[in-house]
Amino acid sequence: MRILIKEIINKENQEVELKGWVDARRDHGKLIFIDLRDRSGICQLVFLPKEKEIYELANKLRSEWVVKIIGVVGQRPKGMENPAIETGNLEIQVENLEIINQSETLPIGIDTDGYEIGEDVRMKYRYLDLRRKRLQKNLRNRVKVIKFIRDFLAEKDFIEIETPIINKSTPEGARDYLVPARLHSGKFYALPQSPQQFKQLLMVAGFEKYFQIVRCFRDEDTRGDRQPEFTQLDLEMSFTDQEEILNLTEELYLNLVRALYPDKKIKLTEEGRIPRMSYKEAMEKYNTDKPDIRSDRNNPDELAFLFIVDFPMFEWKEAEKRWDAVHHPFTMPKFVMPKTESVEEFWNLFKKDPASILAHQYDFVLNGYEIGGGSIRTHNPELLMAVFEAMGNKPEAIKEQFGHLLEAFKYGVPPHGGIAPGIDRLVMLLENEPNIREVIAFPKTGDGRDLMTGAPSEVSEAQLKELHIKITGEK
Ligand code: ASP
C-alpha cells in the first residue's frame, strides 16, 4: 500500500511503497540518486548497479516522470545527510521500480520560487507552475485560512448558506457580467457582484446569522489586487449594530492571525485593539480612505489592521449628474438610528446638504489595502425607497429592480447589517505576496484572459442562435 514520503520517518529498515514525481536526478559514480516528490515532501532514492534490471530502468528516469517504487528505508551514510529536507537523514534502496508515466521537459522551471519567470508563461502552464513549492504552500495555507473562518463562525452559531450565481443584477458600483437566458429571448441573468440582496433576504427569512465563502464577479479593469472573479467572506446578522460587527470581525481576524501566522507582529492600540479612524480623519491625515499605518513598511511581518468608520452616505457623480451611494444604496444613513421612521428628516437633510449625511458604513483595511467593507442596512422600506430616489432612480425603475426587496421588507424585517472581507487580498498579505494572482489557483491576466484555456473565446453559430444573439462586430 502506498504511503506518503513524510511517513518514511518512522519506517527505518522497513519496506515501503511510494508514488510520486522525479524531482531531480544525480549520478555519483555508479550510483543513481533520485529525489522523489509527492504532496508531503521529498526523499532520496538510491539505485545500485548490482540490481541490474532496476538500475537500467532507473537510468532512463528524467525530471517529472511519475513512478511507483518499493524499497527499504535506511540511514544515509555519515556526512551525506541533507538537513534542508525532513527526510534528510534517510534514503531508500529501491527494490522495485515502475514507470507510471513519462514527462517531456517542462517549459518552465519549477524548482525556484518562480518570480524570475515571465508571468504569461507561468499562467499558460499554470498546472506546472502550481507544482512549485511556493504555490503549493500558498494554496494549502489559503484553505487553512478559510477553514479557520468557517470553524470560528460555526462556533458562533452562524450558518453557511449558498446563494444563486445566476440571477438579477445587484448594484455594487461595478459592471455586471451578463449571461443570456436561452429560454427567455432577449433577457439576461447577471453574475453576482456580491450576494448583498440575498443575504438581506435571508435576514427576512429569520436565519439571523448568515455567512458564506463566496465567489463574486465584477467586470472591471483588473489591477494588481483585483480579478474579474474573487472570493469573499460574506456575512450578515440581524438585531445587530456596527459595534457588534466590528468586534466580531476583530476577534475573528486577530484569532486567525495568532493561530495560523504566529510570527506576524500585529500593530494594535494600547488597549490591544484594532484601531478605528473616521473617514474624515483618514482623508485629512493620509489623503486616502485606506491608510497604511504600519510603523515600518520594510518589515514584511508587520500587520496593521484598521477600521475606517463614518463614511459619507452620498458622493456626487459629475458624469451622471447625480448623487450616488458611496457604499451601496442598502446602507443606512447615520442620523436615522435608532428611529427609522425619519423619511421626512432624510429628505430635509438631503435637500439641504447631501454631502453632510454620514452612513452606517465601515471599511476594513490592512497594510494600506481595503480588505473588506460593510454597513448597517436600511430596513424601513419607505426610507430605502427615498434613498433610491435620492440617487436619481425613478419610482418605476426602483420597483422593477428592487421590488422583491421592498416587498420582502413589508413582512417583519429585523434590523440587520453585515460585512464582506475579501479572502484573496488577506491571503496575499499574510503570505507576503505581491499580488492576488499568487494565491489563486487559476487567475486571469490584467485584461481578463485565461492564458491556459484561452478564455474568453468565440462560440459556435449554433450556440449563439440558441441564445438569440447576433454578433455585430461593432466596437
Ligand atoms: N456587499 C458588500 C460588498 O461586497 C459588502 C456588504 O455591504 O456587506 O462590498
Side-chain angles (χ1 to χ4, degrees):
M1 199 189 59
R2 178 202 184 201
I3 63 164
L4 288 175
I5 285 172
K6 67 172 185 200
E7 291 164 345
I8 68 170
I9 287 169
N10 313 316
K11 298 258 181 327
E12 223 178 298
N13 300 322
Q14 292 179 38
E15 193 180 77
V16 295
E17 178 184 320
L18 301 173
K19 288 179 185 170
W21 288 261
V22 173
D23 196 67
R25 166 182 173 160
R26 292 178 299 280
D27 295 355
H28 285 302
K30 290 246 145 41
L31 301 182
I32 300 172
F33 292 98
I34 296 285
D35 281 345
L36 184 71
R37 182 185 79 236
D38 70 10
R39 68 177 195 273
S40 74
I42 286 182
C43 70
Q44 175 163 289
L45 311 178
V46 193
F47 295 86
L48 307 173
K50 63 176 199 247
E51 307 285 342
K52 207 162 175 300
E53 214 176 298
I54 302 172
Y55 182 82
E56 265 162 30
L57 199 56
N59 223 345
K60 294 191 187 155
L61 291 177
R62 296 288 177 272
S63 286
E64 300 305 306
W65 286 26
V66 182
V67 297
K68 167 182 157 182
I69 63 109
I70 294 172
V72 176
V73 182
Q75 285 286 337
R76 290 195 195 188
K78 277 259 153 340
M80 306 295 277
E81 297 92 348
N82 177 3
I85 59 172
E86 248 178 278
T87 63
N89 294 333
L90 304 171
E91 63 185 14
I92 295 176
Q93 295 233 352
V94 180
E95 297 167 341
N96 196 312
L97 165 67
E98 186 187 319
I99 295 172
I100 298 175
N101 229 332
Q102 303 189 0
S103 166
E104 293 187 7
T105 305
L106 301 194
I108 52 171
I110 59 167
D111 54 348
T112 63
D113 60 24
Y115 293 119
E116 75 289 359
I117 304 172
E119 213 183 350
D120 281 12
V121 63
R122 285 183 53 207
M123 282 196 183
K124 172 153 190 225
Y125 297 101
R126 188 60 163 179
Y127 44 88
L128 300 178
D129 194 40
L130 288 171
R131 283 186 191 170
R132 83 180 67 252
K133 222 168 158 186
R134 175 172 64 92
L135 293 197
Q136 289 271 322
K137 167 187 71 70
N138 286 355
L139 291 184
R140 289 176 194 285
N141 287 347
R142 180 187 171 107
V143 179
K144 284 189 195 156
V145 166
I146 290 174
K147 181 170 188 308
F148 189 96
I149 293 172
R150 284 210 160 97
D151 292 346
F152 177 93
L153 292 174
E155 183 72 18
K156 300 237 183 248
D157 207 23
F158 279 80
I159 89 157
E160 187 165 15
I161 301 177
E162 291 171 275
T163 51
I165 290 294
I166 52 168
N167 211 276
K168 202 161 166 159
S169 151
T170 278
E172 296 274 348
R175 199 178 290 110
D176 284 326
Y177 277 102
L178 297 175
V179 180
R182 181 178 58 84
L183 297 175
H184 305 275
S185 174
K187 297 194 173 163
F188 292 82
Y189 302 99
L191 302 184
Q193 292 186 32
S194 88
Q196 185 63 38
Q197 291 185 53
F198 284 102
K199 68 172 170 177
Q200 294 194 238
L201 291 167
L202 288 170
M203 296 303 105
V204 181
F207 286 101
E208 295 194 25
K209 285 176 151 195
Y210 143 94
F211 84 99
Q212 185 180 187
I213 304 289
V214 66
R215 203 71 62 83
C216 301
F217 306 85
R218 298 182 189 179
D219 188 0
E220 295 176 293
D221 296 334
T222 44
R223 281 182 257 139
D225 59 339
R226 294 204 174 179
Q227 281 277 305
E229 50 182 303
F230 57 94
T231 307
Q232 275 186 349
L233 157 62
D234 193 43
L235 183 154
E236 195 79 4
M237 280 192 272
S238 294
F239 307 109
T240 190
D241 55 23
Q242 175 166 316
E243 196 56 29
E244 188 185 21
I245 293 170
L246 297 190
N247 288 344
L248 175 90
T249 308
E250 173 166 343
E251 190 187 339
L252 167 57
Y253 281 76
L254 293 186
N255 285 1
L256 185 155
V257 173
R258 284 171 183 149
L260 301 181
Y261 294 86
D263 295 337
K264 298 273 182 198
K265 287 179 264 319
I266 311 176
K267 186 176 176 178
L268 298 171
T269 63
E270 273 170 24
E271 297 79 34
R273 303 292 308 266
I274 290 180
R276 298 180 189 187
M277 193 185 286
S278 71
Y279 173 83
K280 189 160 174 279
E281 186 185 344
M283 293 309 286
E284 279 170 8
K285 263 203 194 151
Y286 299 92
N287 200 25
T288 170
D289 59 1
K290 37 180 184 292
D292 186 349
I293 57 163
R294 276 178 294 175
S295 323
D296 176 5
R297 292 191 196 171
N298 295 319
N299 174 354
D301 279 328
E302 182 175 5
L303 295 179
F305 290 102
L306 175 67
F307 288 116
I308 305 288
V309 298
D310 290 343
F311 276 80
M313 179 74 199
F314 298 106
E315 63 189 343
W316 178 249
K317 283 269 158 81
E318 183 53 35
E320 300 160 36
K321 298 263 180 284
R322 68 181 184 96
W323 290 93
D324 196 11
V326 168
H327 189 43
H328 50 54
F330 313 108
T331 297
M332 187 187 275
K334 192 125 202 182
F335 70 92
V336 183
M337 284 286 256
K339 53 180 180 350
T340 54
E341 309 79 34
S342 327
V343 180
E344 221 182 279
E345 199 185 332
F346 168 75
W347 278 123
N348 286 342
L349 262 176
F350 186 79
K351 280 176 190 148
K352 227 185 343 185
D353 188 4
S356 72
I357 303 176
L358 295 182
H360 284 278
Q361 181 201 337
Y362 28 85
D363 267 7
F364 193 27
V365 174
L366 174 56
N367 294 5
Y369 286 87
E370 183 202 321
I371 59 161
S375 61
I376 301 300
R377 327 298 183 187
T378 295
H379 58 269
N380 171 346
E382 279 98 50
L383 182 63
L384 187 55
M385 191 78 186
V387 171
F388 283 133
E389 277 181 44
M391 288 167 54
N393 297 294
K394 296 266 165 314
E396 273 320 297
I398 299 169
K399 288 230 165 64
E400 206 283 312
Q401 238 195 319
F402 304 107
H404 53 282
L405 198 73
L406 292 162
E407 166 87 10
F409 278 17
K410 290 183 194 159
Y411 305 109
V413 52
H416 58 284
I419 191 166
I423 299 287
D424 309 294
R425 282 187 201 169
L426 173 71
V427 179
M428 168 187 95
L429 291 166
L430 292 173
E431 292 295 329
N432 290 323
E433 288 291 3
N435 67 66
I436 58 173
R437 297 185 296 280
E438 304 293 349
V439 300
I440 295 173
F442 297 102
K444 298 202 171 52
T445 58
D447 60 352
R449 284 172 305 141
D450 180 331
L451 297 180
M452 183 182 66
T453 63
S457 58
E458 276 146 16
V459 296
S460 71
E461 270 305 317
Q463 279 173 299
L464 287 175
K465 200 159 171 225
E466 241 177 8
L467 296 171
H468 326 281
I469 286 182
K470 243 201 186 76
I471 306 288
T472 63
E474 281 165 25
K475 288 250 156 113

